[in-house]
């Protein structure tokens, strides 16, 4: 049977851990009470025993009397008295416990009930605060939904008047798919062009009048300029009255709708934009329901914790003190309030009616998504593919030796055509394996990575899945390498067998974009979507998963350069213009090399600019400076590889040192949150998830060492071609390992920030914002 302490640790909401009852501290206090009941000899062995005094006999009689009373039928005696005081006009309740009966270990018992009162008050206050926020958010969403439904109805009626054969259907909801930047607002400009008629103006006034009845205000409608025909221009911005604390949420996005115009076709509002607004409100309802479910879990777990700890106290103290206290706990707000349950029922009803076409089963799939359980088949496949990989790699090593593939005669051709492609897959597989290790560690340390990355719990990748993808990828690649050597030994044409790496590359690209629901399609499409957002960084709002993935790309520049060489060889063979030297030297090669060395840092710098534009935080500009310095250092190293002189050596040394110091500072202080002044953990931060502090100190040293591996690239060791390639691959692999190591502490710091602000539910921007949020 699992102990309740472990069960509580496994089920509590990580971001709200500090708000839960401190069950473990209360258990320690009960142990102190238990120790205080034991004779002094049991924990003072060093003191000699000189016999008993007459007072000891008297004390012994009193203890026996107390025990007999506790075992008698007087268990209903009021041993404790719990007093409830109200503050802030009756909005808050404070519980204080007084001992109505003398305990033999009175001091420890008094401390226990003081601690219990503090925990009960803490739980009540937190529950009240969260409940109030969710109720206000629910009211806001109801108003948003009412405005949306009114808009859809009025627009539908208007389109029926103008085009009876093509009415706008408001009865169906668009297929749900989470959108990234669904920024939306309603704005009306240039109402009253040359084609505007009196009836159209009246229809506009009808819209405004209907929405004003719902509490919507229109800004500067009377003071707008006029059109050429003297008709008034309107800038209509729909605002929800400022009656809720979600103003900061809705003010995040820029939600102007610039083409809400009265055009000749009567399309007063585009259908697609109404669908966009509907998706935003739907997502907000889903997050509200999730938050209410978390608060309900919070209430039930705390109730069980109070019950368990009071029963332990009764058992240790041989008293029946829990009954009175449990009565007060059950009367407290976090147990007795039914507002959360009623709001959950209301959300279910609204969601079923407006977003699921009255299909409750469909609605519950959105509101209560089922998480897939870990499959033993995945674990079996991971073990199977790992075994196949080891076997195939052993076969490859033997064949490479027998075929003398790395001999001076065969070495250049093999290294030019085969090595780039296989190194790409090896680095990618290593990165996937380290990501699986990250997922495993985040899960074990209760870091809520799905919430941080905003992944769907139904399709999110688990560590076993990442391991399976990694091992399957490498098994396929090594199998292709073995096949390549076998065909080479069988005297097949080099032109034919050298196409195997290219075919393998094209196969995996086709698998990545495959539209069929095979081999983790949601993960593949999520990856493509994130890469799209990175490439188009200034035009998409930057989320954490976007810049997290962009940071991964900055560690995979060698992979991108190998991909460049492999693509050059493949396309040159396809278009019959194959010149091997053109893929390793020449002006175009160097220009592409510069671009590839810059691009990941450039994209990341653009993300920082976009985040500064959205948030106005100067730290984003400082972060941009880190990536600019990295771009300069990377460009200097590429130039130094061509111009090996003292001038460029000095430039590379200076730029690389500056960039490394900048990166180390940002790693330790900003990304990991270390080096906090006056921290209780020297050189670290106050809150640590791992219990062993030495792990953090070793991580600091390891990150420093792996950050300076660029020194090898400017020393130019005189080694052979094969050794040079292996050394290059080793350095690239070390950078990938450093990034996987960095990932854990980066997300740990982000998780602790969420815990510090009790962020357990995603905030969704709403389509209709407030006037003063401009």
């Amino acid at each position: 049977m699992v102990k309740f302490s472990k069960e509580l640790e496994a089920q509590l909401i990580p971001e709200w851990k500090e708000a839960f009852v401190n069950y473990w501290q209360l258990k320690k206090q009960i142990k102190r009470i238990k120790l205080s009941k034991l004779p002094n000899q049991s924990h003072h062995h060093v003191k000699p025993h000189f016999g008993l005094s007459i007072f000891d006999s008297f004390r012994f009689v009193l203890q026996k009397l107390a025990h007999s009373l506790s075992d008698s039928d007087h268990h209903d005696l009021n041993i404790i008295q719990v007093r409830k005081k109200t503050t802030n006009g009756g909005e808050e309740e404070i519980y204080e416990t007084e001992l109505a009966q003398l305990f033999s270990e009175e001091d420890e018992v008094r401390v226990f009930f003081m601690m219990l009162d503090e925990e009960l008050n803490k739980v009540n206050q937190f529950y009240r605060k969260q409940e109030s926020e969710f109720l206000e958010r629910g009211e806001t969403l109801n108003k948003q939904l009412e405005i949306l439904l009114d808009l859809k109805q009025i627009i539908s009626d208007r389109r029926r008047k103008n085009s009876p054969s093509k009415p706008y259907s408001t009865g169906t909801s668009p297929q749900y798919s989470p959108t990234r930047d669904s920024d939306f607002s309603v704005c009306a400009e240039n109402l009253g062009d040359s084609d505007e008629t009196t009836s159209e103006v009246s229809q506009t006034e009808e819209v405004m009048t209907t929405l004003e009845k719902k509490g919507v205000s229109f800004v500067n409608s009377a003071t707008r300029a006029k059109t050429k025909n003297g008709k008034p221009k309107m800038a209509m911005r729909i605002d929800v009255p400022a009656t809720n604390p979600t103003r900061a949420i809705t003010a995040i996005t820029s939600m102007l709708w610039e083409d809400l115009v009265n055009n000749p076709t009567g399309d007063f509002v585009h259908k697609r934009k109404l669908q966009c607004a509907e998706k935003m409100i739907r997502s907000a309802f889903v997050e509200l329901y999730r938050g209410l479910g978390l608060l309900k879990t919070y209430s039930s777990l705390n109730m069980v914790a109070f019950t368990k700890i009071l029963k332990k106290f009764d058992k240790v103290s041989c008293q029946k003190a829990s009954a009175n206290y449990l009565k007060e706990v059950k009367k407290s707000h976090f147990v007795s309030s039914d507002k959360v349950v009623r709001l959950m029922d209301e959300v279910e009803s609204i969601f079923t009616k407006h977003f699921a076409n009255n299909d409750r089963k469909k609605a519950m799939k959105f509101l209560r998504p089922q998480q897939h359980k870990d499959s033993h088949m995945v674990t079996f496949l991971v073990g199977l593919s790992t075994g196949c990989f080891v076997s195939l790699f052993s076969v490859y090593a033997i064949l490479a030796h027998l075929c003398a593939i790395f001999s001076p005669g065969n070495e250049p051709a093999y290294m030019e055509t085969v090595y780039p492609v296989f190194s790409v897959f090896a680095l990618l597989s290593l990165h996937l394996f380290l990501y699986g290790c990250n997922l495993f560690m985040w899960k074990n340390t209760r870091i809520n990575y799905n919430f941080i990355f905003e992944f769907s719990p139904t399709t999110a990748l688990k560590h076993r899945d990442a391991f399976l993808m990694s091992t399957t990828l490498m098994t396929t690649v090594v199998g292709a390498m073995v096949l390549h050597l076998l065909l080479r030994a069988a005297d097949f044409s080099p032109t034919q067998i050298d196409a195997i790496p290219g075919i393998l590359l094209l196969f995996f690209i086709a698998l990545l974009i495959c539209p069929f629901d095979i081999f983790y399609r949601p993960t593949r499409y999520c990856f493509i979507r994130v890469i799209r957002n990175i490439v188009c960084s200034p035009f998409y709002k930057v989320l954490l998963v976007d810049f997290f993935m962009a940071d991964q790309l900055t560690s995979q520049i060698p992979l991108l350069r190998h991909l460049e060489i492999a693509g050059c060889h493949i396309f040159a063979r396809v278009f019959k213009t194959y010149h091997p030297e053109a893929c390793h030297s020449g002006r175009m090669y160097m220009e592409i090399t510069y671009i590839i060395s810059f691009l990941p840092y450039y994209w990341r710098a653009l993300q920082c600019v976009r985040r500064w534009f959205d948030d106005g935080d100067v730290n984003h500009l400082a972060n941009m400076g880190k990536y600019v310095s990295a771009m300069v250092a990377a460009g200097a190293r590429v130039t130094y590889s061509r111009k090996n002189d003292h001038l460029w050596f000095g430039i590379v040394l200076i730029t690389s040192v500056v960039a490394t110091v900048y990166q180390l500072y940002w790693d330790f202080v900003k990304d990991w949150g270390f080096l906090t002044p006056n921290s209780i953990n020297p050189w670290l931060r106050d809150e640590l998830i791992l219990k062993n502090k030495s792990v953090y100190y070793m991580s600091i040293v390891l990150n420093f060492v792996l950050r300076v591996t660029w020194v090898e690239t400017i020393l130019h060791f005189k080694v052979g071609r094969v050794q040079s390639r292996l050394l290059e691959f080793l350095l690239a692999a070390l950078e990938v390992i450093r990034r996987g190591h960095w990932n854990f502490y980066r997300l740990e710091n982000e998780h602790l920030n969420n815990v510090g602000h009790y962020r357990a539910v995603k905030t969704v921007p709403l389509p209709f914002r407030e006037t003063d949020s401009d």
Side-chain angles (χ1 to χ4, degrees), residues 62-74:
L62 287 178
Q63 289 179 354
K64 284 294 183 180
L65 181 60
H67 282 279
S68 62
L69 287 175
S70 64
D71 294 333
S72 65
D73 297 332
H74 299 286

Side-chain angles (χ1 to χ4, degrees), residues 578-596:
Y578 183 59
H579 300 287
E581 65 278 359
C583 295
H584 299 276
S585 60
R587 180 179 178 183
M588 181 173 291
Y589 167 77
M590 292 307 302
E591 289 176 351
I592 297 177
T593 300
Y594 275 115
I595 292 173
I596 290 177

Side-chain angles (χ1 to χ4, degrees), residues 21-33:
V21 57
N22 197 334
Y23 182 81
W24 301 270
Q25 197 65 31
L26 291 171
K27 275 185 65 177
K28 290 181 181 179
Q29 184 60 28
I30 289 178
K31 289 182 179 179
R32 295 191 188 99
I33 296 174

Side-chain angles (χ1 to χ4, degrees), residues 9 101 195 515:
E9 181 70 26
Q101 178 176 317
D195 298 327

